[in-house]
Amino acid sequence: MFGLAPDWLLEDGRPLATATVLSHPEQLDRLRSACPEAAPTAVLAGDPCYDRILAALPQRDRFRRALGVGPGQRLIVVSSTWASRSLFGGGRAGGADEPGADERGTEEPGAADLLPWLLSRLAAELPADEYRTAAVLHPNIWYGHGPGQVQAWLDSARRAGLEAIPPLDGWRQALIAADCVLGDHSSVTYYAASIGVPVVLGAFPQEDLDPRSPVAALGRTAPRLLRRGSLRAQIDRAIDAHHPDRYKALAEQTSSSPGESAVLLRRLFYDLMGIPEPEAHPALLDPLPLPPYTPARVTAPIRVLVRQLSADPPELAVTRYAVVGDAPDPDPARDPAAPVGTADTAHTAADEETRETGRLSVADVVVRRAAEDDARLGPPAAWASEALDRYPYCGLVAYVDGPDRCVVRTREGDLVRLSAAADPDGRPDLCDPAVYASALHAWLTDGHSLDAALPAITVRTGTAAHHVTVEPLPQPPPPRPSAGSHSSDWASSTRSRSAPIRSPFSS
């Protein structure tokens, strides 16, 4: 527990608080040792934050869907407390290693740019459709540096799909939904371990902690993040080798009265006020709300690797990596955790709202996300025609107008709707529909016809299979020639648009 020292609890040698609320007797033992003057004020009353987390555990699947995490995806949460030895502060003690450190992280880490390195590696190594990433940063980071500065620090990672969880709301739901937490000595990381989530420590100043504390015990138990080797392999190993009871002893020290904090705290508050509790109203905690639906949005250019698994019926494996700034294109061959098999084709996809606007002129697939009836863009077919004219090297454009569907137009002029089948419960497939557009583009550029893709294709992202209906759409009527123009001019323009121009960056 943070703050047991006299500097935090006493003023002029006397306790500041009338009641010092503790969640477990082990804290009382340490309080008696560290600040005996405050021990008479101690009250064991559980942990309301932990109780709200425990009560919401059955909602895990809903919290995952709220973050856009679909079947076969893994949610990786990066968590940091404040101060210089935290993950965000540089992790100068007991965190990511220099060459020669073992998995227990016994050596000092190197540079103080641990978090930027970690965020860049997450984008470079984790396929965008197989992993979802989120960051939970201590409120003191947000308010100490200001939201604008924090968002600027996270900007590249956010464009690669990272979700920056607000400092006060949503972080508990993200922990419950997580498959792995990359953290430090924060209470958030400890809560994650307490509910059975695999934890990897990127920074951990063991010497700054009371060795008797449960948080210090977590530092002696959890694996450490290593800079050398594959980040993806370390994450997958932590998840695959994890046993739900690994941190059971630590969980038992989180609260001595799980589920009872509301009753205990209200009783304490009314006793301090000297008035009886209201008998007609039970003491209750607010349940954790269901967060809004926020799927990953990658606005950085994406390198798409496609492997054909079958021609009849059509089945393709798609692996996508966000490429931020001047970062090199991903090389899965260097990643031992990458699936076996060489991609047959590779191309670049770009969101039309990307900051790297220069990539749009050479992208093979351009994507726009909007409602079907967005009056600013027109219907999907109209936008698609305009986009093909605007981006001459583009072979296919996609208008994503729902969580599981998009409308695409090819350079040859075909207009098609791609729709993913729902799961057995009727819930929509949460895979980014732009994946299906890239799969169709790879199918066509590999020499196959659109007719051969009808009525459906199977697209695989990691271990997940998405069954996608390919539905040709009627062509909208051509615009009428304006007064004074010649129909032959319009026909010539149409033929010119249909001529495919291959991007020099395709492979």
Side-chain angles (χ1 to χ4, degrees):
M1 179 182 177
F2 177 75
L4 293 183
D7 290 347
W8 290 92
L9 299 175
L10 304 179
E11 183 176 18
D12 297 329
R14 302 178 62 183
L16 283 168
T18 303
T20 302
V21 176
L22 307 176
S23 66
H24 194 277
E26 70 84 16
Q27 297 168 5
L28 179 56
D29 293 340
R30 290 191 288 121
L31 177 64
R32 286 170 176 155
S33 175
C35 186
E37 299 89 344
T41 68
V43 179
L44 291 172
D47 183 339
C49 180
Y50 186 55
D51 285 352
R52 294 180 75 198
I53 292 174
L54 292 178
L57 289 178
Q59 307 297 320
R60 182 174 188 265
D61 287 345
R62 293 181 179 179
F63 294 157
R64 288 172 68 81
R65 288 196 296 273
L67 286 167
V69 181
Q73 274 191 306
R74 287 176 161 177
L75 174 61
I76 311 304
V77 173
V78 178
S79 169
S80 178
T81 188
W82 57 293
S84 60
R85 292 178 183 262
S86 68
L87 185 62
F88 196 89
R92 287 184 177 273
D97 69 307
E98 285 293 305
D102 61 20
E103 195 173 53
R104 299 300 315 138
T106 56
E107 292 192 13
E108 291 286 315
D113 58 349
L114 176 57
L115 190 67
W117 168 84
L118 175 59
L119 295 177
S120 68
R121 296 315 304 160
L122 287 173
E125 291 192 34
L126 303 187
D129 306 298
E130 299 172 45
Y131 297 82
R132 176 80 161 100
T133 56
V136 173
L137 304 181
H138 194 284
N140 284 0
I141 296 175
W142 286 94
Y143 301 128
H145 298 285
Q149 179 61 75
V150 174
Q151 289 170 2
W153 282 328
L154 298 178
D155 180 67
S156 292
R158 294 177 68 194
R159 288 188 286 121
L162 177 85
E163 185 70 24
I165 304 297
L168 297 180
D169 300 316
W171 65 267
R172 300 172 186 84
Q173 294 91 323
L175 282 193
I176 294 171
D179 291 289
C180 183
V181 170
L182 305 180
D184 53 18
H185 58 297
S186 69
S187 58
V188 171
T189 306
Y190 186 83
Y191 280 135
S194 296
I195 60 174
V197 176
V199 167
V200 178
L201 299 177
F204 205 89
Q206 194 83 47
E207 64 274 23
D208 292 352
L209 305 174
D210 185 338
R212 300 169 297 170
S213 69
V215 175
L218 175 63
R220 294 188 294 268
T221 307
R224 301 296 175 93
L225 180 67
L226 307 177
R227 285 207 187 197
R228 67 179 188 274
S230 166
L231 176 61
R232 180 182 179 184
Q234 294 181 66
I235 292 172
D236 288 347
R237 183 166 58 247
I239 296 172
D240 296 338
H242 182 73
H243 190 281
D245 293 334
R246 176 169 186 166
Y247 304 115
K248 182 179 179 181
L250 300 182
E252 293 172 348
Q253 292 184 301
T254 306
S255 172
S256 59
S257 304
E260 301 178 20
S261 63
V263 172
L264 296 173
L265 286 171
R266 190 175 76 166
R267 182 180 305 157
L268 169 63
F269 298 154
Y270 275 87
D271 284 347
L272 291 175
M273 292 186 292
I275 58 177
E277 291 185 68
E279 297 181 357
H281 302 285
L284 301 172
L285 297 172
D286 288 337
L288 296 182
L290 183 63
Y293 179 57
T294 53
R297 175 71 186 278
V298 180
T299 59
I302 298 177
R303 191 61 170 165
V304 185
L305 310 177
V306 184
R307 184 159 48 101
Q308 181 177 300
L309 303 178
S310 170
D312 187 15
E315 184 173 355
L316 303 101
V318 178
T319 306
R320 305 191 308 162
Y321 295 88
V323 181
V324 180
D326 297 327
D329 282 350
D331 182 5
R334 297 182 181 178
D335 183 1
V340 177
T342 303
D344 299 320
T345 63
H347 64 266
T348 298
D351 191 295
E352 196 177 32
E353 294 185 294
T354 184
R355 181 179 301 171
E356 290 92 337
T357 54
R359 295 288 190 104
L360 287 169
S361 62
V362 294
D364 302 287
V365 175
V366 173
V367 179
R368 164 61 74 170
R369 303 173 193 276
E372 183 178 9
D373 59 353
D374 192 322
R376 300 168 300 170
L377 301 169
W383 172 86
S385 294
E386 295 172 357
L388 285 174
D389 286 339
R390 187 175 298 117
Y391 310 116
Y393 286 119
C394 180
L396 180 148
V397 294
Y399 188 107
V400 177
D401 58 353
D404 55 356
R405 64 186 185 273
C406 64
V407 172
V408 305
R409 186 185 286 278
T410 68
R411 179 61 63 178
E412 288 70 26
D414 297 302
L415 188 67
V416 179
R417 175 170 284 284
L418 304 178
S419 305
D423 70 11
D425 294 327
R427 295 189 176 96
D429 192 318
L430 298 183
C431 180
D432 182 1
V435 172
Y436 314 143
S438 279
L440 183 61
H441 172 74
W443 173 264
L444 296 174
T445 56
D446 200 33
H448 300 287
S449 68
L450 178 62
D451 289 342
L454 303 179
I457 60 176
T458 298
V459 180
R460 292 191 176 273
T461 54
T463 60
H466 315 277
H467 303 289
V468 182
T469 299
V470 182
E471 178 190 2
L473 298 178
Q475 296 285 352
R480 293 183 178 180
S482 59
S485 66
H486 300 284
S487 59
S488 61
D489 294 339
W490 177 86
S492 174
S493 171
T494 303
R495 287 193 296 271
S496 174
R497 180 191 304 159
S498 298
I501 307 176
R502 189 167 181 80
S503 167
F505 290 84
S506 299
S507 59

